[in-house]
């Protein structure tokens, strides 16, 4: 199994609006080949992280491109700064 974790900085005043827009991102991720799961975590006042799980590496890598496109088209006005991304094979789980 493969995963991609993306972390974004959000101005706290924009957090509620971003949360309203997230279901559209969930729809996009869940339509990708090899999709297993998608989680979004609200991390305090100024960050949000997403975790995408896929059965193959190519889909995990593609999810980063899909996420970037979604952000550019739907949330660029809410996100401050870049995105921190880690993508790779899951090596431990419980």
């Amino acid at each position: 199994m493969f995963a991609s974790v993306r972390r974004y900085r959000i101005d706290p005043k924009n957090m509620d609006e971003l949360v309203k827009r997230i279901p559209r991102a969930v729809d996009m991720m869940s339509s990708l080949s090899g999709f297993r799961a998608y989680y979004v975590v609200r991390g305090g006042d100024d960050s949000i992280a997403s975790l995408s799980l896929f059965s193959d590496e190519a889909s995990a890598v593609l999810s980063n491109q899909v996420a970037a496109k979604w952000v550019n088209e739907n949330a660029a006005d809410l996100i401050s700064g870049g995105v921190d991304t880690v993508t790779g094979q899951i090596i431990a789980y419980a």
Side-chain angles (χ1 to χ4, degrees):
M1 192 169 350
F2 293 81
S4 182
V5 179
R6 292 172 292 278
R7 185 169 182 258
Y8 306 90
R9 293 275 181 209
I10 310 295
D11 185 323
K13 71 179 190 235
N14 294 331
M15 186 64 78
D16 289 338
E17 179 60 29
L18 180 62
V19 169
K20 290 177 190 175
R21 298 180 190 184
I22 288 174
R24 288 179 271 169
V26 173
D27 291 342
M28 288 182 70
M29 284 297 155
S30 63
S31 71
L32 294 175
S33 175
F35 174 80
R36 301 292 298 268
Y38 183 66
Y39 301 93
V40 179
V41 179
R42 185 175 180 164
D45 286 343
D46 71 342
S47 69
I48 197 162
S50 65
L51 169 63
S52 307
L53 301 176
F54 294 91
S55 57
D56 61 278
E57 184 176 18
S59 296
V61 171
L62 177 61
S63 75
N64 294 325
Q65 296 167 11
V66 169
K69 180 179 180 187
W70 184 86
V71 167
N72 286 335
E73 294 176 356
N74 299 282
D77 59 323
L78 305 176
I79 294 175
S80 55
V83 58
D84 296 322
T85 304
V86 175
T87 304
Q89 185 175 19
I90 295 173
I91 58 172
Y93 60 94

